[in-house]
C-alpha cells in the first residue's frame, strides 16, 4: 500500500498525493526516508529539499521548516512554507538572493542591527534552497506537473 501524503501551510494546500512510494525528508535530526508501513513518527522539519516519489517520478519540494507526522501510511506535513519545484519562480528567487547578498555586504560595512543580519541570512538561505530545487528539477528533466 502506498503512502498518502498531504503538505499544507497556513494559507494553502501545497500537495495531496495518494500514490507515494517513498519520501525523503529533511528533519532537524537529519535526512530520513519514509517507506510504506513506517513506524509512527513525529519530527520537526529543517530547511531543505524534500523529494516525493510516485510512479510518475520524483517531485522535489523546497520546505522551510515545520512538522511531519506519520501514522498508518498517512503522512501529514505542516510547513512554515513549501513550494514544489514546478511552482518556484526562479527569477523571483534569484532577485531575493541578490537582495539578501547586498544586505549582507552592506551590513558588513556598517553597524546595523543584528536582527537585520539574521533576516538577511535567513532570506539568503530560503532563496538558495529555492534555486537549488528549481535548478535540480530542470537539470534532471523531471517532468513539470502541469
Ligand atoms: P521574496 O523576498 O521573494 O518574497 P521570501 O523568502 O521573503 O521571498 P517567503 O516569506 O519565504 O518569501 O514566502 C512568502 C510566500 O511566497 C510563500 O507562500 C512562499 O511559498 C512564496 N514564495 C516565495 N518565494 C517564491 C518563489 N521564488 N517562487 C514561488 N513562490 C515563492
Amino acid at each position: 500500500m502506498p503512502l498518502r501524503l498531504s503538505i499544507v501551510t497556513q494559507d494553502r494546500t501545497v500537495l495531496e498525493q495518494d500514490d507515494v512510494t517513498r519520501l525523503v525528508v529533511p528533519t532537524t535530526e537529519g535526512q530520513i526516508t519514509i517507506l510504506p508501513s513506517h513506524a509512527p513518527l513525529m519530527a520537526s522539519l529543517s530547511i531543505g529539499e524534500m523529494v516525493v516519489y510516485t510512479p510518475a517520478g520524483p517531485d522535489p519540494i523546497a520546505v522551510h521548516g515545520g512538522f511531519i507526522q506519520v501514522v498508518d501510511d498517512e503522512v501529514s506535513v505542516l510547513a512554515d512554507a513549501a513550494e514544489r519545484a514546478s511552482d518556484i519562480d526562479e527569477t523571483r528567487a534569484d532577485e531575493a538572493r541578490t537582495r539578501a547578498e547586498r544586505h549582507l555586504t552592506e551590513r558588513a560595512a556598517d553597524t546595523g542591527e543584528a536582527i537585520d543580519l539574521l533576516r538577511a541570512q535567513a532570506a539568503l538561505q530560503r532563496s538558495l534552497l529555492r534555486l537549488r530545487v528549481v535548478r535540480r528539477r530542470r537539470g534532471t528533466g523531471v517532468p513539470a506537473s502541469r
Side-chain angles (χ1 to χ4, degrees):
M1 274 251 294
L3 297 159
R4 289 180 303 282
L5 167 70
S6 96
I7 303 175
V8 299
T9 66
Q10 64 175 358
D11 49 12
R12 70 190 182 105
T13 297
V14 177
L15 182 65
E16 299 263 18
Q17 193 87 44
D18 61 10
D19 57 352
V20 176
T21 53
R22 182 160 54 111
L23 198 59
V24 176
V25 186
T27 78
T28 50
E29 309 281 303
Q31 180 177 285
I32 60 171
T33 298
I34 296 168
L35 296 167
S37 305
H38 196 282
L41 170 83
M42 178 92 115
S44 46
L45 302 173
S46 60
I47 296 174
E49 182 177 2
M50 180 167 152
V51 187
V52 179
Y53 291 87
T54 70
D59 192 354
I61 296 175
V63 290
H64 307 267
F67 294 95
I68 180 168
Q69 182 195 41
V70 183
V71 191
D72 293 338
D73 287 337
E74 191 94 44
V75 183
S76 308
V77 172
L78 180 57
D80 296 337
E83 302 98 28
R84 300 174 76 174
S86 52
D87 291 334
I88 292 176
D89 178 339
E90 184 173 354
T91 305
R92 175 175 168 183
D94 215 23
E95 286 169 359
R97 180 185 59 170
T98 306
R99 217 164 35 239
E101 283 173 346
R102 199 180 60 237
H103 287 152
L104 290 172
T105 316
E106 286 168 1
R107 171 63 176 59
D110 98 62
T111 55
E113 299 284 328
I115 190 80
D116 291 341
L117 178 62
L118 291 176
R119 202 183 297 148
Q121 283 171 339
L124 180 61
Q125 194 182 12
R126 289 194 300 276
S127 64
L128 289 176
L129 171 63
R130 287 173 178 132
L131 288 171
R132 191 168 84 231
V133 168
V134 72
R135 287 173 181 167
R136 184 193 306 282
R137 180 178 74 100
R138 204 180 45 207
T140 56
V142 176
S145 61
R146 58 186 152 84

